[in-house]
Amino acid sequence: GQQLNQSPQSMFIQEGEDVSMNCTSSSIFNTWLWYKQDPGEGPVLLIALYKAGELTSNGRLTAQFGITRKDSFLNISASIPSDVGIYFCAGQKSSQGNLIFGKGTKLSVKP
Amino acid sequence: SQTIHQWPATLVQPVGSPLSLECTVEGTSNPNLYWYRQAAGRGLQLLFYSVGIGQISSEVPQNLSASRPQDRQFILSSKKLLLSDSGFYLCAWSAAGGPADTQYFGPGTRLTVL
């Protein structure tokens, strides 16, 4: 089935560092979403992107919809301990299609 | 505002026993509803989705089934659980009539089959 390649699989960083992660696909997507999941909880929507080239921020988080429509990036600036969790990208190929999720990036932050 | 509930939060069941997980949504009408399974804290696998009462689409063949007896109620069931059914089950909703994007997730149910 259709897959999104999300990388890196995991990250161990120091508090205060910036973080970058991305999702890529061989197919074109019309929508990209980024979610964060805390341990034992459901994913929470962070940022939604609807247009190629779109750059959207949510506090210290910034996400971009790649110009080719085959990728998306999430950056976290000045990481803090509460940024710990699993970050998922999700894409939608058409207005009637279901979401396709990446396998997640597990972020660990050392104080 | 909309909220989504899942019950129970955790469940331990023996192999071969039945299963019923419930998901309810408040504050919206005719939502699209989804059941996902997440194994080992990674990756979300879509199991079922529903665009209306009694309308269920299955994404993955398995021994699970879903039902939508009411507009804002989505139930995941099994007649006989397998060990491989263990996992974290997430319910999600999205706005009716629109694209499937912007799904909002419930708190999840942790199922352990022994």
Side-chain angles (χ1 to χ4, degrees):
Chain A
Q2 179 64 49
Q3 287 188 344
L4 292 180
N5 300 310
Q6 187 170 350
S7 65
Q9 188 174 20
S10 60
M11 301 181 74
F12 297 85
I13 63 170
Q14 199 75 35
E15 182 178 359
E17 290 182 353
D18 296 342
V19 174
S20 292
M21 60 190 78
N22 69 81
C23 267
T24 61
S25 174
S26 57
S27 300
I28 290 174
F29 285 82
N30 289 338
T31 301
W32 286 96
L33 306 173
W34 285 92
Y35 289 85
K36 182 196 176 194
Q37 184 178 27
D38 291 328
E41 299 183 13
V44 174
L45 182 67
L46 298 174
I47 294 177
L49 303 162
Y50 301 105
K51 196 161 57 173
E54 180 181 356
L55 186 71
T56 299
S57 294
N58 178 3
R60 293 177 296 105
L61 278 62
T62 302
Q64 183 163 24
F65 193 140
I67 292 177
T68 66
R69 296 168 63 193
K70 295 182 179 180
D71 55 13
S72 180
F73 305 86
L74 176 70
N75 296 316
I76 306 173
S77 62
S79 59
I80 59 178
S82 61
D83 290 334
V84 165
I86 300 178
Y87 292 79
F88 290 99
C89 64
Q92 184 184 31
K93 294 179 71 176
S94 69
S95 61
Q96 300 301 319
N98 287 319
L99 286 180
I100 299 167
F101 283 84
K103 293 188 176 180
T105 295
K106 186 175 183 179
L107 178 64
S108 301
V109 179
K110 288 173 56 178
Chain B
S1 63
Q2 300 86 4
T3 55
I4 178 168
H5 306 278
Q6 285 187 244
W7 184 89
T10 60
L11 189 61
V12 180
Q13 291 285 93
V15 169
S17 64
L19 173 74
S20 181
L21 302 182
E22 184 170 339
C23 172
T24 57
V25 181
E26 297 176 356
T28 187
S29 295
N30 194 31
N32 299 322
L33 296 172
Y34 310 84
W35 276 113
Y36 289 87
R37 177 167 59 203
Q38 185 177 35
R42 305 294 300 271
L44 293 166
Q45 180 187 34
L46 180 63
L47 302 175
F48 301 95
Y49 67 94
S50 171
V51 298
I53 295 175
Q55 300 179 60
I56 308 294
S57 297
S58 175
E59 290 292 301
V60 182
Q62 58 212 311
N63 70 318
L64 299 172
S65 62
S67 62
R68 186 169 176 174
Q70 300 180 44
D71 179 43
R72 289 169 288 179
Q73 184 184 30
F74 205 23
I75 296 174
L76 184 68
S77 304
S78 174
K79 292 182 179 178
K80 286 187 178 182
L81 283 169
L82 307 173
L83 285 174
S84 58
D85 290 326
S86 293
F88 193 47
Y89 287 83
L90 289 158
C91 181
W93 74 273
S94 65
D101 63 354
T102 319
Q103 292 180 21
Y104 299 93
F105 287 85
T109 294
R110 172 74 60 191
L111 172 65
T112 303
V113 182
L114 301 176

